[in-house]
Amino acid sequence: MSRSHFLFNIDTIVDSRGSLSIIEDKSDLPFDIKRIYYLHNISSHESRGGHGHKNLEQIFIPMHGSFNIEIFDGKDSFEYILSNKMEGLYVGKRLWRNLYNFSVDAVCLVLASEKYDEKDYWRNYKDYINEVKK
Ligand code: TYD
């Protein structure tokens, strides 16, 4: 398993009233959270992502429903199916990602290590490949 992207268990307290899942600062995360956003109302025919990030680290959590995430590191690609609310996918720096196959009503929560910065993106696949192969 590559350490630049991996699934991890989210601590969850289960009792007769339901489940409570917890992520708490650096004891659970490899970065401080600077931004939270979520994807929702996504058509099953649509994909998201389709870009790389230079410095950003993220955690993807399926709050509802399921979706696939393909991670590409410039050499190999890895496929994850996210459907477990008690599991997060860590995605590190310099990786290309595609999110697709969203179920109806899927909600994807993203915890991010940096504020939004368009300059942190590789929007063009060839630019990404040229850069990570250096
Ligand atoms: P983008 O990151 O390309 O979305 P996705 O990876 O889900 O396909 O962002 C889509 C648009 O939203 C783009 O115009 C940038 C803007 N945006 C922000 O303004 N702030 C944010 O925190 C994010 C994630 C995107």
Side-chain angles (χ1 to χ4, degrees):
M1 181 177 69
S2 166
R3 298 306 294 169
S4 62
H5 49 92
F6 53 84
L7 283 171
F8 65 96
N9 292 322
I10 299 172
D11 279 350
T12 300
I13 299 169
V14 181
D15 65 29
S16 58
R17 299 167 298 167
S19 302
L20 190 158
S21 297
I22 307 153
I23 297 176
E24 194 169 354
D25 69 37
K26 285 220 166 171
S27 51
D28 295 322
L29 287 182
F31 58 80
D32 287 327
I33 300 168
K34 293 221 180 93
R35 177 167 52 118
I36 295 172
Y37 62 94
Y38 48 99
L39 302 168
H40 52 107
N41 196 27
I42 309 151
S43 160
S44 59
H45 308 296
E46 293 294 344
S47 60
R48 306 288 315 204
H51 54 69
H53 277 290
K54 298 171 186 172
N55 196 42
L56 190 70
E57 298 171 81
Q58 293 167 302
I59 304 282
F60 294 85
I61 303 169
M63 288 284 103
H64 194 262
S66 64
F67 50 89
N68 294 35
I69 303 188
E70 182 192 21
I71 302 295
F72 182 60
D73 63 9
K75 192 163 145 265
D76 300 309
S77 72
F78 305 82
E79 173 99 13
Y80 295 95
I81 300 173
L82 269 64
S83 63
N84 183 348
K85 297 175 182 63
M86 296 180 295
E87 240 175 30
L89 175 67
Y90 169 80
V91 177
K93 303 173 186 191
R94 296 172 65 82
L95 297 170
W96 190 270
R97 79 289 320 277
N98 284 313
L99 286 72
Y100 60 99
N101 201 23
F102 288 91
S103 66
V104 174
D105 288 346
V107 180
C108 170
L109 179 70
V110 186
L111 313 179
S113 66
E114 305 295 335
K115 291 184 180 175
Y116 171 71
D117 178 6
E118 185 60 34
K119 293 192 294 299
D120 189 69
Y121 284 74
W122 282 293
R123 294 279 186 193
N124 181 288
Y125 186 73
K126 280 188 185 159
D127 292 346
Y128 170 74
I129 295 294
N130 288 338
E131 198 59 39
V132 293
K133 288 206 164 150
K134 274 181 191 167

